[in-house]
């Protein structure tokens, strides 16, 4: 049966969509938007308790949490080379990087809230924006260091950990200038050139919330 991905273009659901394309799995995309109320229905709440995307209907079950979905897909599909085996010494690093993507995503989410989604701009906090931007840059430094010796997060090459990180870097570059992080910038371009990434981007539709490439901190 075709999988159904509950998705917002430009959000964490891209991780799952991209992985499904890497795995050549058929998928139907069910589209939502953050501000039009489409997440706030009883039907969607039954699928995703916090009313967040991604949620994936697959194999007769419903899954939410992007990291869990990515791991589930890697564990239940074979022949893809996107996850080191449990006994492989790289497996622990794979799990670490898989979830490190959420350390970045939390800061991006807070910055999205401050820059884009607070209904009353007077409630924005320059302190929060500055702090979250700095903390995002610190988290990016960790990736810059990890990429000094290779093209991907794992020395053995491209894996689903890079898929978890991909969308995250795309959004991060709207808040932190990547000229400070040349290895991260080259890595983002490298993974974005993958055919499955490009097919997933075309399939998810245009993102609707970022209206500029870079968001500067407000003048105080
Ligand atoms: N840890 C969750 C976070 C899910 C999440 O917060 N998704 C965002 C999109 S990136 C969302 O659905 N936001 C809607 C909202 O906050 O109302 C995951 O990785 O799946």
């Amino acid at each position: 049966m075709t999988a159904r991905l509950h998705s917002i273009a430009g959000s964490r659901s891209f991780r799952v969509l991209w992985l499904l394309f890497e795995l050549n799995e058929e998928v139907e995309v069910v589209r939502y938007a953050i501000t039009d109320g489409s997440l706030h229905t009883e039907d969607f709440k039954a699928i995703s308790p916090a009313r967040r995307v991604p949620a994936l209907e697959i194999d007769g079950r419903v899954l939410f949490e992007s990291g869990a979905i990515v791991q589930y897909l890697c564990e239940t599909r074979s022949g893809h080379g996107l996850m080191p085996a449990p006994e492989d010494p790289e497996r622990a690093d794979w799990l670490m990087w898989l979830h490190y993507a959420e350390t970045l995503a939390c800061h991006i989410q807070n910055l999205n809230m401050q820059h884009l989604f607070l209904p009353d701009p007077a409630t924005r906090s320059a302190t929060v924006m500055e702090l979250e931007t700095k903390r995002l840059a610190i988290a990016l430094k960790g990736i810059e260091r990890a990429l000094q010796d290779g093209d991907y997060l794992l020395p053995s090459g491209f894996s689903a950990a890079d898929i978890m990180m991909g969308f995250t870097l795309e959004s991060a570059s709207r808040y932190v200038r990547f000229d400070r992080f040349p290895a991260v910038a080259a890595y983002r371009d490298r993974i974005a050139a993958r055919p499955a990434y490009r097919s997933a981007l075309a399939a998810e539709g245009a993102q609707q919330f970022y209206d500029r490439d870079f968001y500067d901190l407000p003048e105080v």
Side-chain angles (χ1 to χ4, degrees):
M1 239 176 82
T2 305
R4 294 183 89 215
L5 175 66
H6 299 264
S7 162
I8 294 174
S11 84
R12 289 171 175 95
S13 49
F14 182 72
R15 294 165 169 164
V16 177
L17 190 59
W18 176 15
L19 176 57
L20 288 165
F21 273 86
E22 292 279 357
L23 295 170
N24 288 315
E25 292 269 336
E26 276 187 28
V27 58
E28 175 197 345
V29 178
V30 186
R31 294 188 175 79
Y32 298 80
I34 290 192
T35 49
D36 69 356
S38 53
L39 295 169
H40 297 271
T41 66
E42 289 306 312
D43 282 354
F44 187 60
K45 193 169 142 195
I47 288 171
S48 177
R51 301 178 195 184
R52 308 284 176 91
V53 298
L56 182 67
E57 297 177 58
I58 193 163
D59 302 340
R61 61 173 74 233
V62 182
L63 294 168
F64 47 88
E65 284 297 329
S66 58
I69 298 171
V70 165
Q71 187 168 352
Y72 171 83
L73 288 171
C74 288
E75 286 176 353
T76 55
R77 272 64 189 165
S78 55
H80 48 69
L82 296 172
M83 175 188 70
E87 64 281 4
D88 191 311
E90 279 193 332
R91 175 65 166 233
D93 289 334
W94 183 80
L95 285 168
M96 188 181 72
W97 288 118
L98 199 71
H99 294 288
Y100 189 80
E102 276 301 279
T103 295
L104 275 78
C106 288
H107 299 308
I108 293 164
Q109 186 165 302
N110 293 339
L111 286 164
N112 285 348
M113 184 64 77
Q114 290 285 325
H115 285 271
L116 309 173
F117 296 131
L118 283 176
D120 177 359
T123 60
R124 287 179 187 159
S125 160
T127 308
V128 171
M129 286 163 143
E130 195 178 335
L131 192 64
E132 289 294 321
T133 305
K134 275 195 183 137
R135 283 162 64 79
L136 177 59
I138 290 167
L140 283 165
K141 258 190 213 167
I143 306 174
E144 181 73 14
R145 260 198 309 274
L147 293 170
Q148 291 310 301
D149 299 326
D151 284 351
Y152 299 102
L153 293 170
L154 296 184
S156 61
F158 183 76
S159 76
D162 301 303
I163 292 177
M164 279 294 286
M165 207 63 87
F167 134 81
T168 320
L169 295 178
E170 179 49 44
S171 298
S173 68
R174 295 183 193 266
Y175 295 118
V176 174
R177 301 239 183 242
F178 274 20
D179 42 10
R180 294 164 56 193
F181 303 112
V184 176
Y187 167 68
R188 179 199 50 189
D189 295 347
R190 190 176 306 124
I191 57 181
R194 290 182 70 84
Y197 181 105
R198 295 155 76 98
S199 303
L201 211 53
E204 78 162 356
Q207 68 81 20
Q208 288 162 8
F209 41 91
Y210 295 119
D211 61 4
R212 62 189 88 149
D213 291 339
F214 193 79
Y215 292 81
D216 277 308
L217 287 171
E219 303 272 330
V220 281

